[in-house]
Amino acid sequence: MKTQTMQSFGMNKELQKKEARELFNNLETPLLKYGQGIQVLLKELDLNQVIAKVNEEERMTIEAPQGVIIRSIQELNQEELETYTSLISATENKFLALHFAILDDWKIIIIPRDMTVKGPIIITSHISKKAKAESIIVIAEVNAKAEIIERSSSTEEAYYKSQTVQIFAKENAHIMFSSIQELSPETYNFVIKRGKVEANANITWLDATLGSKYTHLRVQTHLTSLHANTENYSLYFNQGKQIFDLNTESLHKTRQTNSNMLCKGVITENARTIYQGRILIEKDSKNCKAKQKSENLLIDEHARCDAVPILEVENDEVQCSHGATIGKLNEENIFYFTARGIEENIAKQMIIAGFLEPIINKFPTEEIQEHIRKNITERITK
Amino acid sequence: MKKEISVSRALYDDADEHTSRFIAKPGINEEIVRLISKTKNEPEWMLEKRLKGLKLFGETRTPTWGPDLSSLDFNNIIYFADPNATATKMWEDVPPEIRKTFDRLGIPEAEKTALAGVGAQYDSSIVYHNIQKSLEEKGVIFENMDVAVQKYPDLVKKYFMTNCIPIHDHKFIMLHAAVWSGGTFIYVPKNVKVDLPLQAYFRMNAQKGGQFEHTLIIVDEGAELHYIEGCSSPIYSENSLHAGCVELHVMKGARMRYSSIENWSKNVFNLNTKRAMVHEHAIVEWINGNMGSQRTMLYPCSVLVGEGARSESLGIAFAGPGQDQDTGAKAIHAAPNTSSIIKAKSISKGGGISTYRGLVHVTENATNTKSTVKCDALIIDNESISKTYPFMKINNNESEVTHEATVGKIGEEEIFYLMSRGIDEEQAVQMIVNGFIEPIVKALPLEYAVELNKLIELEMEGT
């Protein structure tokens, strides 16, 4: 089933869509249940409405420095297609079937061998109506180095957005993929990001989850060869009735691979966050190092947070640790500020900004960092 | 005190000689449930409870989120056996590895046979009666659960599988409700402090009949109790399912410590449920060691229902070849100013799987809650597996919840350090393991601590 779907991509795009559509019709909507009563109920979300209202007019735009190759899906040959669409499949679940059923907007970015791209590649997506699906494929050839910034926004007419990102980091390639998500609080957002990291290569994922009504973010990295490395730095600021359902995974499929995940977030008003992290170290993956940490601040009385950090270790030659904290603003810190004549509100703002700063300052450009800071400060003072 | 401890391993005495000699056929049905109830001459409400449990059991699927239970055949289990009828086996039938362990632990002959379920009854009646007498003077009730149903109907009806562990809790509790038999009932009156740890060994017939034993303990306001369940030496059981239930009610200002070292033989599915309702300013402490069984699913739970209630859980699990130890702890904070501490340690060896699965749930009104969870796992070889699944559900902003876990192997440098001082490698590993489990062993009474240490030494042999 899987290969069939893949093969039909290049040959006949409409056929592939039709297959995904059939899958969509046949699959059950997955329950967003994560054990021990932790679950998300999306009562209002109507997937049939999504399929009926597909936005085919608006497209992602890319600004890329010289040397970076941008191609369309039709330009890939059969073998390339099969390889580079292999990490995510329409058969996985109803949301992904829907994604491929309505998908029209592909961007394929190729960083040629030995190239160090000067300056970031910037992908911009703004949708102003209905439902939209986007797929990004990044192929970093041997020794290639690049930073990619992906920014997404929407208006309140945009109902549903779905996105997949597949990154292939070949030997010694280094890719940093940053996402700044500022969708409208009316937009449902489903994002699946997967990376495959080969020998001595690295993928660094940066995520600023700020907007949307509901965000379903899954970032998964497959460490498949010696000395493959991944880092995942994620921040979120959650407000109103927003629900963020975040999941990061490092899969250590071979020995001497390393991973580090850090997620920091702030939950205000009636918002809710579910954070799941998972480290899997397979049986023969010896000498791996893996770390994962999540820190969550609950600001208001009705804010909620669920955290499930998971460790699965199948051999003894490893160093693994994980941790999660869920807490409130430190009253002593607030007192410190107020004792110096700073208003409580401002004090809180400063503490929150300081709490998120270690992740903010990992984003690639000063401008983006400033933009994230501004987004958060404005929303705190709102 | 010392003397009492030294003979206290007796499993049962001769208190229950009136039951008829009978073994039910394998499998479960209404007839068997009615028969159990009738044999025990139970009141109508208990029979109703059993039947309701049976119905729910039939309607509920076996959970699949945990260890593999596919080889567990509910139709192949004897749900009711008269205790006197089972003691007819031969010593030769007891598996050699269990006999070996008895020898290594230096367990007296009479007790060995009792632990193996083959011998005549081991007479602990003298000790038992002495303790019983001193407890009676203080008004403490310490009774076989079957007897308690008859003797203390009001207390039992109020607390037995009601608000602590209701019969619909999960599949194995439904089964337990239908076929439970034996166990312990303890009531400690207000402000009474029981200074001697009470041990399950005094239970009458509980081990022999008791794969579905029920423990119900009520520690009234301001009272204190330390209860010890089970036995650190292996218990041989032909029956492959153990689905016990432990309910603790720790009232205002009371304090309860529940220690248990479980070491069922390695054919057993140990699917046990333990929960405490902890009231205002009360304290509950769980100390758990899981050594035996092929599959264990056990997550002692503290429901902190009163303001200022506290809970502490210490757990150690050892998973050897063929074992899947799925254990952990739960803390449900349902009142303000409550706190919980969970510390879990596990060792996986020879292909064993040890899993920490836990929950910290802070409800909306449980403001100013503090919870700390710490898990450490040691993997001894490349065949073994360690997993950690902690769940945290936090519904208010006045709480501090932290979770930390580490997984790793014994440091080569530590071993080298010890070896360079003339200690051989096996011994060095052993010393490090002993150090690793020390915080839990320290919380146990001396004789248990010694036995647990020896057991782990035995399990670690040849690494």
Side-chain angles (χ1 to χ4, degrees):
Chain A
M1 185 66 149
K2 192 170 161 183
T3 19
Q4 224 177 20
T5 316
M6 294 307 157
Q7 275 170 356
S8 53
F9 266 124
M11 294 188 295
N12 185 339
K13 206 173 61 174
E14 287 312 310
L15 181 69
Q16 180 262 326
K17 276 184 152 186
K18 212 178 125 196
E19 277 174 16
R21 175 86 184 240
E22 257 167 46
L23 271 171
F24 170 77
N25 289 334
N26 293 333
L27 289 168
E28 295 274 326
T29 308
L31 295 174
L32 304 168
K33 277 187 170 177
Y34 309 127
Q36 297 295 341
I38 298 171
Q39 59 174 316
V40 183
L41 286 172
L42 299 174
K43 282 187 209 138
E44 294 160 30
L45 174 63
D46 179 2
L47 294 180
N48 291 314
Q49 198 179 322
V50 172
I51 209 151
K53 291 186 182 173
V54 182
N55 175 345
E56 290 185 329
E57 297 132 52
E58 289 166 302
R59 300 273 161 169
M60 292 181 273
T61 58
I62 294 195
E63 294 165 49
Q66 247 190 347
V68 176
I69 302 164
I70 313 291
R71 286 163 77 180
S72 73
I73 191 83
Q74 289 83 359
E75 288 172 89
L76 295 184
N77 67 35
Q78 195 58 43
E79 199 193 327
E80 288 172 325
L81 254 178
E82 274 173 35
T83 312
Y84 297 126
T85 55
S86 61
L87 293 179
I88 300 173
S89 157
T91 55
E92 286 175 45
N93 62 46
K94 197 175 177 88
F95 296 124
L96 277 168
L98 174 63
H99 176 86
F100 288 104
I102 65 171
L103 176 64
D104 218 22
D105 194 2
W106 286 91
K107 287 286 178 281
I108 292 139
I109 301 166
I110 301 167
I111 326 286
R113 195 186 166 108
D114 299 328
M115 175 186 267
T116 300
V117 180
K118 291 194 176 63
I121 301 163
I122 299 172
I123 307 168
T124 314
S125 157
H126 178 78
I127 54 172
S128 60
K129 56 192 169 200
K130 297 175 188 166
K132 166 112 195 299
E134 298 168 350
S135 277
I136 298 166
I137 294 173
V138 178
I139 303 157
E141 297 289 355
V142 176
N143 268 329
K145 290 180 179 61
E147 289 177 358
I148 300 163
I149 298 172
E150 182 255 329
R151 304 180 64 166
S152 55
S153 56
S154 67
T155 65
E156 52 189 58
E157 272 80 48
Y159 181 66
Y160 187 94
K161 185 183 171 190
S162 134
Q163 186 195 49
T164 67
V165 177
Q166 297 175 76
I167 302 182
F168 296 84
K170 301 201 179 162
E171 216 180 300
N172 206 30
H174 286 71
I175 294 293
M176 181 189 255
F177 193 96
S178 317
S179 296
I180 299 96
Q181 186 266 97
E182 295 170 285
L183 297 170
S184 136
E186 299 300 319
T187 311
Y188 288 96
N189 181 35
F190 286 79
V191 184
I192 309 287
K193 294 180 180 179
R194 285 186 196 152
K196 185 179 174 204
V197 191
E198 292 182 23
N200 296 308
N202 177 66
I203 297 179
T204 299
W205 304 96
L206 285 159
D207 272 288
T209 305
L210 304 167
S212 80
K213 179 177 193 153
Y214 165 73
T215 285
H216 180 94
L217 173 65
R218 302 281 182 267
V219 185
Q220 186 186 68
T221 317
H222 300 244
L223 302 164
T224 56
S225 303
L226 218 61
H227 299 299
N229 185 59
T230 185
E231 281 160 64
N232 187 319
Y233 302 106
S234 179
L235 72 86
Y236 67 85
F237 186 90
N238 205 348
Q239 199 171 33
K241 287 183 174 175
Q242 287 183 311
I243 302 173
F244 293 163
D245 178 355
L246 314 173
N247 184 323
T248 58
E249 274 181 284
S250 300
L251 311 179
H252 293 256
K253 292 180 173 287
T254 193
R255 65 205 166 93
Q256 295 186 32
T257 50
N258 297 332
S259 69
N260 185 10
M261 300 189 263
L262 174 63
C263 174
K264 290 178 86 120
V266 178
I267 309 155
T268 68
E269 297 177 352
N270 295 305
R272 182 179 174 206
T273 291
I274 297 162
Y275 171 80
Q276 298 177 86
R278 178 170 173 241
I279 295 171
L280 170 69
I281 301 196
E282 291 187 0
K283 191 168 177 324
D284 297 317
S285 305
K286 295 196 172 188
N287 291 315
C288 287
K289 282 187 186 156
K291 271 202 307 200
Q292 182 235 301
K293 199 161 189 200
S294 120
E295 295 174 355
N296 309 275
L297 274 186
L298 288 161
I299 303 297
D300 296 308
E301 206 186 322
H302 297 291
R304 284 173 68 186
C305 181
D306 303 324
V308 191
I310 293 174
L311 263 176
E312 293 171 308
V313 183
E314 302 182 355
N315 81 70
D316 64 327
E317 307 260 338
V318 296
Q319 285 177 29
C320 274
S321 68
H322 74 175
T325 61
I326 303 169
K328 55 183 176 179
L329 280 180
N330 188 326
E331 270 157 37
E332 275 172 41
N333 289 350
I334 297 172
F335 179 76
Y336 179 90
F337 281 97
T338 50
R340 277 154 186 79
I342 293 163
E343 269 179 59
E344 196 177 319
N345 262 350
I346 309 282
K348 280 187 181 173
Q349 226 178 79
M350 291 168 87
I351 295 166
I352 290 172
F355 171 73
L356 295 174
E357 188 58 30
I359 306 238
I360 297 176
N361 66 28
K362 290 197 180 334
F363 278 81
T365 67
E366 193 58 45
E367 186 208 333
I368 292 287
Q369 292 179 14
E370 207 39 56
H371 183 86
I372 296 169
R373 284 185 200 109
K374 211 174 135 223
N375 175 302
I376 292 162
T377 331
E378 274 173 11
R379 287 164 71 204
I380 302 173
T381 44
K382 195 189 83 177
Chain B
M1 181 159 163
K2 182 96 193 175
K3 190 170 168 244
E4 281 147 7
I5 283 170
S6 67
V7 288
S8 64
R9 283 208 212 85
L11 280 172
Y12 32 75
D13 67 9
D14 53 355
D16 201 1
E17 57 197 15
H18 307 297
T19 46
S20 57
R21 300 187 175 215
F22 171 78
I23 302 177
K25 284 195 191 102
I28 185 169
N29 53 43
E30 198 181 315
E31 200 186 329
I32 298 226
V33 172
R34 283 184 185 278
L35 183 75
I36 296 171
S37 190
K38 201 178 155 199
T39 315
K40 295 176 187 296
N41 196 20
E42 283 177 353
E44 190 61 26
W45 65 267
M46 186 57 89
L47 175 64
E48 271 169 37
K49 216 165 214 178
R50 287 184 184 274
L51 293 173
K52 224 188 263 175
L54 177 69
K55 186 163 176 284
L56 287 166
F57 173 72
E59 293 163 357
T60 309
R61 267 191 271 173
T62 305
T64 51
W65 45 262
D68 180 15
L69 301 178
S70 56
S71 59
L72 174 61
D73 181 2
F74 288 110
N75 293 322
N76 208 8
I77 285 161
I78 295 169
Y79 290 92
F80 184 58
D82 170 53
N84 297 318
T86 54
T88 52
K89 278 179 295 172
M90 303 297 286
W91 174 244
E92 286 69 36
D93 296 336
V94 178
E97 67 271 16
I98 293 202
R99 278 188 273 166
K100 190 179 137 207
T101 311
F102 285 157
D103 291 340
R104 297 292 289 273
L105 290 174
I107 291 170
E109 204 61 39
E111 199 180 331
K112 269 189 217 171
T113 52
L115 286 167
V118 296
Q121 292 180 0
Y122 182 60
D123 190 7
S124 68
S125 54
I126 299 160
V127 180
Y128 173 74
H129 287 303
N130 282 344
I131 289 178
Q132 185 80 320
K133 208 175 150 201
S134 77
L135 292 175
E136 259 169 30
E137 280 164 14
K138 291 176 172 175
V140 177
I141 302 169
F142 186 19
E143 201 46 273
N144 182 308
M145 196 66 230
D146 290 332
V147 178
V149 175
Q150 311 292 340
K151 269 171 87 174
Y152 310 99
D154 296 342
L155 272 174
V156 174
K157 197 172 177 184
K158 185 172 172 195
Y159 291 107
F160 187 94
M161 300 192 90
T162 54
N163 67 339
C164 184
I165 305 182
I167 60 170
H168 60 259
D169 209 65
H170 59 77
K171 182 155 179 112
F172 304 109
I173 274 303
M174 296 164 189
L175 177 66
H176 175 91
V179 299
W180 77 269
S181 181
T184 310
F185 174 79
I186 299 176
Y187 172 79
V188 185
K190 280 185 193 171
N191 301 318
V192 169
K193 294 182 173 38
V194 180
D195 17 76
L196 190 73
L198 295 188
Q199 305 189 3
Y201 301 132
F202 297 126
R203 284 186 309 200
M204 289 150 288
N205 294 320
Q207 292 300 349
K208 274 198 288 177
Q211 50 178 347
F212 299 103
E213 87 279 8
H214 194 97
T215 305
L216 173 59
I217 300 175
I218 301 147
V219 188
D220 216 332
E221 293 179 13
E224 276 182 28
L225 175 70
H226 182 184
Y227 181 75
I228 300 169
E229 176 209 275
C231 187
S232 47
S233 50
I235 297 172
Y236 177 62
S237 163
E238 274 186 313
N239 274 310
S240 60
L241 175 62
H242 173 243
C245 177
V246 174
E247 297 183 283
L248 311 180
H249 293 267
V250 190
M251 300 306 184
K252 190 175 165 183
R255 189 179 182 126
M256 159 108 219
R257 174 183 280 195
Y258 193 100
S259 305
S260 124
I261 302 293
E262 174 280 314
N263 199 2
W264 293 95
S265 48
K266 285 169 189 168
N267 57 329
V268 169
F269 286 85
N270 182 30
L271 312 172
N272 222 340
T273 309
K274 299 180 179 178
R275 195 171 300 157
M277 303 295 280
V278 193
H279 295 266
E280 256 172 275
H281 299 288
I283 300 171
V284 71
E285 294 168 287
W286 296 101
I287 294 148
N288 260 295
N290 287 92
M291 308 286 300
S293 305
Q294 60 162 313
R295 303 278 182 274
T296 300
M297 289 171 86
L298 172 62
Y299 323 97
C301 174
S302 302
V303 189
L304 305 167
V305 288
E307 197 170 335
R310 276 161 56 190
S311 158
E312 196 169 329
S313 304
L314 287 174
I316 170 111
F318 187 103
Q323 289 184 290
D324 191 339
Q325 300 280 17
D326 204 285
T327 62
K330 293 182 180 184
I332 297 167
H333 294 258
N337 303 316
T338 48
S339 66
S340 64
I341 297 171
I342 295 170
K343 285 181 195 154
K345 297 205 175 223
S346 70
I347 301 170
S348 317
K349 194 198 147 208
I353 304 171
S354 47
T355 303
Y356 171 82
R357 202 184 293 275
L359 169 71
V360 174
H361 183 183
V362 179
T363 62
E364 211 163 330
N365 65 332
T367 50
N368 201 18
T369 286
K370 284 194 171 63
S371 173
T372 313
V373 181
K374 183 137 180 42
C375 308
D376 294 307
L378 206 52
I379 308 184
I380 303 293
D381 51 46
N382 197 34
E383 304 302 306
S384 309
I385 294 176
S386 162
K387 300 176 185 178
T388 313
Y389 301 100
F391 291 82
M392 284 164 267
K393 290 167 73 175
I394 314 305
N395 292 352
N396 78 65
N397 69 323
E398 296 279 319
S399 307
E400 296 288 341
V401 178
T402 65
H403 168 93
E404 259 180 85
T406 60
V407 177
K409 64 164 185 169
I410 295 177
E412 269 161 35
E413 277 172 40
E414 293 165 320
I415 294 175
F416 178 76
Y417 177 88
L418 291 167
M419 285 173 74
S420 69
R421 273 148 187 80
I423 293 162
D424 70 47
E425 192 175 343
E426 194 175 313
Q427 217 182 340
V429 171
Q430 187 56 55
M431 285 171 86
I432 295 164
V433 169
N434 281 350
F436 177 75
I437 60 165
E438 157 132 337
I440 282 137
V441 173
K442 260 190 351 206
L444 290 168
L446 184 66
E447 64 148 7
Y448 279 82
V450 170
E451 269 191 12
L452 185 68
N453 263 335
K454 272 195 192 162
L455 272 165
I456 291 190
E457 271 169 34
L458 276 176
E459 296 284 354
M460 292 295 298
E461 239 170 42
T463 40

